[in-house]
């Protein structure tokens, strides 16, 4: 039996339903998080919960629980579902109210949902690397909010998949921003370069872990905008996300990145990242 968390209660997954006038359903009026679970333990849970609060706050949704309370509820959910390796999906919406663009009265409670998904690590892709396409970034200007409104991201991902690729690298004119569901990095002359965490990208939790690992291991980092030309001319390219970890990119629009094999800095960061998983969650399954 699988369980889900709905408004503070752990109930049967099949009974976890929300109203057709939930504002998440009608407007995408909410925010979400995906938290990775290794060995039954949540990886970087505090960072995810802090970003959840920040995203909610930036659209005027107040969480009805403290992050400590949410962490405890998620722990219980993990135990009940006996999840060892997978993801927690969690979202909060502005609640249920008669359809109106205006926010409902403040006494309308938000809807908080969480459930678990079993998911292996993408080991083969991590080993071989993945292919990508380039696509114009058509999203709004608050990509720092982890909003339920993902249409721009979905269209980009679908385009990548239809081209036989894993990810779409988005760019605003010459400026590379991020993947449809990942942050993007280039390596040039040993320097890791990735877009600054401003309103044009999501400040990835994995990105923060990776930049921390670069710092500890004396790998120079430049957080700045880089161009499509720099991307094409890079020594190495990789992407990161909660589920993709440190993922080598070996092809862009049918052209190989450098020699077409994952690069040495990318490989080092993969090793450091696995050590970080082991440090936080003890065993890597
Ligand atoms: O399972 C999946 O496919 C996941 S889990 C998280 C993501 C994909 N992507 C998160 C994400 C994103 O959606 C965008 C637009 N930019 C960057 C990221 C990376 O964020 P973190 O590292 O926090 O997952």
């Amino acid at each position: 039996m699988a369980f889900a968390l709905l408004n503070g209660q752990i109930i049967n997954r099949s009974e976890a339903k929300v109203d057709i006038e939930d504002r998440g359903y009608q407007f995408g009026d909410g925010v979400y998080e995906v938290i990775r679970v290794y060995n039954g333990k949540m990886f970087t849970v505090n960072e995810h919960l802090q970003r959840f609060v920040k995203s909610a706050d930036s659209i005027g949704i107040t969480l009805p629980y403290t992050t400590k309370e949410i962490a405890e509820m998620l722990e219980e959910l993990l135990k009940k579902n006996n999840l060892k390796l997978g993801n927690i999906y969690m979202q909060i919406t502005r609640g249920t109210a008669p359809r109106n663009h205006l926010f409902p009265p403040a006494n309308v409670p938000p809807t908080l949902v969480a459930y678990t998904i079993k998911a292996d690590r993408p080991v083969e892709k991590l080993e071989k690397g993945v292919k990508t396409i380039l696509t114009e970034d058509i999203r709004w200007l608050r990509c720092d909010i982890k909003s339920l409104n993902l249409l721009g991201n979905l269209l980009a991902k679908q385009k990548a998949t239809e081209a036989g690729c894993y990810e779409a690298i988005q760019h605003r004119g010459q400026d590379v921003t991020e993947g449809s569901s990942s942050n993007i990095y280039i390596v040039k002359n040993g320097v890791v370069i990735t877009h600054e965490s401003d309103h044009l990208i999501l400040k990835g939790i994995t990105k923060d872990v990776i930049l921390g690992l670069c710092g500890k291991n004396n790998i120079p980092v430049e957080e700045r905008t880089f161009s499509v030309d720099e991307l094409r001319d890079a020594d190495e390219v990789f992407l990161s996300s909660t589920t993709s970890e440190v993922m080598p990119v070996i092809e862009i629009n049918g052209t190989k990145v450098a020699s077409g094999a994952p690069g040495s800095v990318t490989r080092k960061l993969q090793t450091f990242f696995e050590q970080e998983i082991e440090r936080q969650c003890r065993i890597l399954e």
Side-chain angles (χ1 to χ4, degrees), residues 2-168:
F3 296 92
L5 184 70
L6 178 60
N7 297 326
Q9 308 266 26
I10 293 186
I11 58 174
N12 285 342
R13 165 74 177 80
S14 58
E15 283 158 21
K17 309 269 188 209
V18 295
D19 196 274
I20 57 171
E21 285 191 310
D22 187 277
R23 293 179 63 92
Y25 181 56
Q26 293 195 324
F27 298 116
D29 187 5
V31 297
Y32 75 106
E33 277 298 328
V34 181
I35 304 170
R36 195 78 173 113
V37 174
Y38 299 102
N39 190 32
K41 297 181 183 71
M42 291 182 277
F43 183 70
T44 54
V45 61
N46 292 332
E47 290 80 354
H48 281 282
L49 292 179
Q50 276 159 22
R51 187 172 66 185
F52 192 52
V53 173
K54 200 170 161 223
S55 290
D57 198 53
S58 64
I59 62 165
I61 293 179
T62 308
L63 262 78
Y65 308 99
T66 63
T67 52
K68 191 165 171 277
E69 285 168 335
I70 296 176
E72 283 164 7
M73 290 189 280
L74 296 179
E75 291 279 5
E76 201 186 328
L77 181 67
L78 279 184
K79 264 197 215 128
K80 287 208 91 170
N81 283 343
N82 193 28
L83 185 79
K84 296 291 177 221
L85 183 61
N87 307 317
I88 296 174
Y89 179 83
M90 173 171 61
Q91 72 170 42
I92 190 164
T93 74
R94 209 181 304 277
T96 296
R99 187 179 184 282
N100 189 327
H101 284 54
L102 272 182
F103 290 1
N107 63 352
V108 171
T111 311
L112 178 66
V113 170
Y115 61 95
T116 62
I117 309 126
K118 271 190 181 173
D120 289 337
R121 296 182 64 227
V123 278
E124 197 184 328
K125 290 187 174 73
L126 289 167
E127 181 55 35
K128 293 185 177 159
V130 295
K131 297 176 180 178
T132 62
I133 57 159
L134 280 163
T135 191
E136 183 69 32
D137 192 338
I138 61 163
R139 300 172 304 157
W140 71 331
L141 298 173
R142 287 305 305 275
C143 297
D144 54 318
I145 301 171
K146 203 159 168 61
S147 156
L148 295 178
N149 282 279
L150 289 171
L151 269 178
N153 309 62
L154 305 188
L155 292 174
K157 181 72 90 186
Q158 184 63 23
K159 194 172 159 191
T161 303
E162 284 171 11
C165 293
Y166 180 77
E167 181 59 304

